[in-house]
Every structure is written in C-alpha cells, then in structure tokens.
Amino acid sequence: MSTGEAGHTGPVLGIESTAHTASVGIVEDGARVLGLASDMYRPPAGGIHPREAANHHVELLPRLVRQALDAAHVDPAEIEAVAFAQGPGLGPCLRAGATVARMLSLAWSKPLVPVNHCVAHVEIARVLSGLEDPLLLYASGGNTQVIAYGRGRYRVLGETLDIGIGNFLDKLWIELGGTFPGGPALELEARQGSELVELPYSVHGMDVAFSGMLTAAITYHRRGVARPDLAYSVESTAYAMLTEITERALAHRRRDAVVLGGGVACNERLRTMVRTMVEERGGTMFAPPRAMCVDNGAMIAWTGRMAHRAGVSVPVESSAVEPRQRTDLVPTPWRAG
Ligand code: AMP
Ligand code: MG
C-alpha cells in the first residue's frame, strides 16, 4: 500500500460486490452522489450461492459502470481514483468486483484504492449524519457489529457469535415458505402480529447470537403459531437484543450518538427502538436513507476518496481481496489527528 501524494482530484468511482449486491457509485466532495447503479442477485430459491452471485456480478458490473458514468455525466478522464470493497465478504463475489476495479484502474491509469466494507458503512453514515464520532450499529445480511473509532482504528465492540441478523431473518422467512430476502417481508408480516411468543434472548456482554432463536422460531411455526405473531415476536426479541448491546457500548465508550447501517437498518421497528433508547439517554440517532443503508457503491467511493486523499492506494499486483478482513485491522489515516 502506498501513501504518496493524492495528485489529481475529482470524483471517485467505487465498486461494491461483497455479497448479493453489485453496485457502482460515483461520489464527489461532501459525499455528493453523482451516479449510483446497483443490481441485487436474487436466488430463485433458498439462500445465496456465492458462485452464482459472483456470476451475476461479472455479468452486470460492466453495464453498471456505464450507467453510473452516464448518470454522473463524468468522463473517465475526470475520475480521481477507482475504489473497491476488498473485504469482508464472499470470495467469488469480492473477486468479481476487484477484477473490474483493477481493469478500470489500468485502462484509465487511475490509482486503485482498497476499502473495508464495514468501515464504508460507518463513513457514509458519519458524513450524512454530520456527527463527528458516532458509534455504528451495523446490521446487515452477513454482519452484525457495534463499531466505534478508538486509537487509530475502527474497533468492533460487539458482534454476532454465529450468524448475521439478516441471514437469520432470511433463513427463517424461507423456512416459513417465503423467498429471499426475508427481512422486508417479515417486517410487513410482523405489522399484522400482536401475540408475543417467548424466544431465546441471547446477549453475551456486547455480543449476540441468533441460531437458538432460529431453531425455536421454526419449532413454533411447526406447532402452528401464526406467522404474523411469530414475525412480531422475532422482531421484538432480535431488535431488543441489538438495542441492548448498542446501549451497553454507548455507556462503556461514553458516547451519545449512534448511526445505523446495513440492510436490516431499513427496518422501521429497529430504527424506532434504537432511536427511543438513544434519545432517552439524551443522545442523537441517525439512520441514513435506505439506499445508503444497504450495500452500495457510493459508500465505497466516498471512503475510497477519503483514503486516497490520505495517500492510500495499492498496485494491482498486491490488491488481493480479503474475504475475512477485520474492521479493526484496517488503517484509517484520514481520521488521524
Ligand atoms: P445488506 O447485507 O446490508 O445488503 O442487507 C441485506 C439484508 O438486509 C438481508 O438479509 C435483508 O433481509 C435485510 N433487510 C432488508 N430490508 C429489511 C427490512 N426492512 N427489515 C429487516 N431486514 C431487512
Ligand atoms: Mg453491508
């Protein structure tokens, strides 16, 4: 990784392909999104198969690059750098995005900037909120983490010990007879529910676990508990768990601001529960618009822009993806000082 001069400045193009979403964003100063083109892989049945999702990305990304450039009215010559999500994520999906980013970087002679996907969720929420140093509740398909900045890195204060909250909701919904993605469908179903059935509430310090709740919910379903009541109970329990660990992290880190990120952060109930908790403590909660909560190329471009201005870039030869990249191992020189 080099830390030389940023050189030419202009809009940054960012590519996101960590999981089911292929997305290209073009962003300039102030996180103004000039162009954003996304397409989500939707498996015909069951969950995401990494290879099939990657094939989808390979097929769609060239077109998404074109669409984003057209929407932005930007010529490749004006682009400052090409950023890509280096990890964490599904290997084949990450490689699809990274390959496109490397080719654009070579073809356009632009610096290549690796970006950590989780850090990008924090950074887009941070700039949109105007909050200086908020804590992030990142609730997505594969990730469930409470993240805060401290001593030069973003630190994971708490996280899921088994599956991500979104994967849990998706798996459950498929068991209940639905199709991927489950979160939005469960949200609608839960609005019709009112009976609370008791589910495993699994909080361990600032960590959570969902597999026990998944098993219990499937068992209730087989015993004939109505789907709306089950959805209502699952949302109540799972989101209370997330709210609790967020509150614990706020207290321990002496913070008063929370931002949300990840697809599950689209959920109204979760937003309300976290907002209520934060405001009762006299703090501030910010939930970005849904297009900026879900995986998107704009957050990669924005974070890549800050990283590049702080001197970060990698040669193509050493730009390997890192499917298990840890949030707290990624340098964030733009936050120094
Ligand atoms: P991401 O991995 O951040 O792109 O988010 C995808 C996940 O968000 C999937 O597991 C979806 O089921 C979930 N999701 C999307 N919208 C909602 C919603 N309104 N409520 C709960 N989960 C949601
Ligand atoms: Mg994500």
Side-chain angles (χ1 to χ4, degrees):
M1 200 180 288
S2 106
T3 48
E5 275 295 300
H8 155 86
T9 60
V12 171
L13 182 142
I15 298 182
E16 158 63 35
S17 72
T18 55
H20 43 64
T21 299
S23 178
V24 180
I26 299 174
V27 168
E28 65 165 13
D29 290 354
R32 207 157 76 80
V33 180
L34 301 179
L36 180 62
S38 307
D39 196 282
M40 185 169 132
Y41 169 69
R42 289 169 191 271
I48 305 178
H49 190 292
R51 283 294 301 278
E52 280 158 22
N55 289 344
H56 163 271
H57 301 345
V58 168
E59 205 162 302
L60 270 287
L61 275 170
R63 201 179 314 156
L64 297 174
V65 170
R66 185 73 266 157
Q67 282 173 11
L69 285 170
D70 288 348
H73 300 291
V74 162
D75 186 84
E78 298 167 56
I79 296 283
E80 172 181 326
V82 176
F84 71 103
Q86 189 174 33
L90 304 170
C93 298
L94 286 167
R95 279 189 285 277
T99 303
V100 173
R102 289 178 198 124
M103 290 183 63
L104 294 179
S105 160
L106 291 172
W108 297 343
S109 303
K110 302 292 178 184
L112 184 62
V113 182
V115 168
N116 175 278
H117 176 88
C118 307
V119 168
H121 274 292
V122 189
E123 290 299 353
I124 196 71
R126 197 163 73 93
V127 64
L128 294 175
S129 68
L131 296 164
E132 191 54 41
D133 194 20
L135 197 134
L136 173 79
L137 171 60
Y138 174 33
S140 76
N143 298 289
T144 306
Q145 301 181 333
V146 179
I147 299 171
Y149 184 76
R151 292 175 292 114
R153 300 282 165 91
Y154 280 106
R155 311 280 168 180
V156 177
L157 305 181
E159 64 190 317
T160 180
L161 299 173
D162 46 32
I163 51 176
I165 171 94
N167 287 353
F168 157 63
L169 299 172
D170 295 336
K171 275 187 187 163
L172 177 62
W173 186 242
I174 289 165
E175 283 289 334
L176 301 186
T179 53
F180 177 90
L186 268 169
E187 176 167 29
L188 295 178
E189 192 83 6
R191 288 192 191 149
Q192 315 302 318
S194 56
E195 284 292 326
L196 196 66
V197 293
E198 199 179 322
L199 292 161
Y201 184 95
S202 191
V203 169
H204 310 269
M206 284 189 261
D207 297 328
V208 286
F210 296 107
S211 53
M213 200 187 319
L214 178 61
T215 308
I218 293 169
T219 308
Y220 276 124
H221 171 61
R222 291 189 182 141
R223 287 190 197 148
V225 172
R227 216 161 71 163
D229 289 337
L230 203 47
Y232 172 72
S233 306
V234 162
E235 283 206 340
S236 305
T237 312
Y239 298 157
M241 287 162 52
L242 296 185
T243 306
E244 180 181 333
I245 61 166
T246 307
E247 180 165 28
R248 186 159 298 124
L250 277 174
H252 279 288
R253 287 292 161 128
R254 296 199 172 79
R255 301 294 170 95
D256 59 5
V258 174
V259 294
L260 300 184
V264 183
C266 294
N267 188 279
E268 267 320 314
R269 190 104 189 278
L270 177 63
R271 288 175 177 230
T272 305
M273 287 167 78
V274 176
R275 183 181 298 284
T276 304
M277 177 275 290
V278 175
E279 289 179 355
E280 276 176 3
R281 299 175 57 87
T284 311
M285 193 285 261
F286 175 80
R290 286 175 175 69
M292 291 297 126
C293 278
V294 298
D295 291 349
N296 67 86
M299 69 182 190
I300 304 298
W302 170 244
T303 309
R305 181 189 162 286
M306 286 192 293
H308 185 240
R309 301 270 166 104
V312 176
S313 67
V314 284
V316 164
E317 314 78 76
S318 43
S319 62
V321 300
E322 295 184 26
R324 295 183 176 275
Q325 189 175 61
R326 294 272 323 170
T327 308
D328 34 17
L329 292 180
V330 179
T332 55
W334 62 92
R335 287 213 58 171

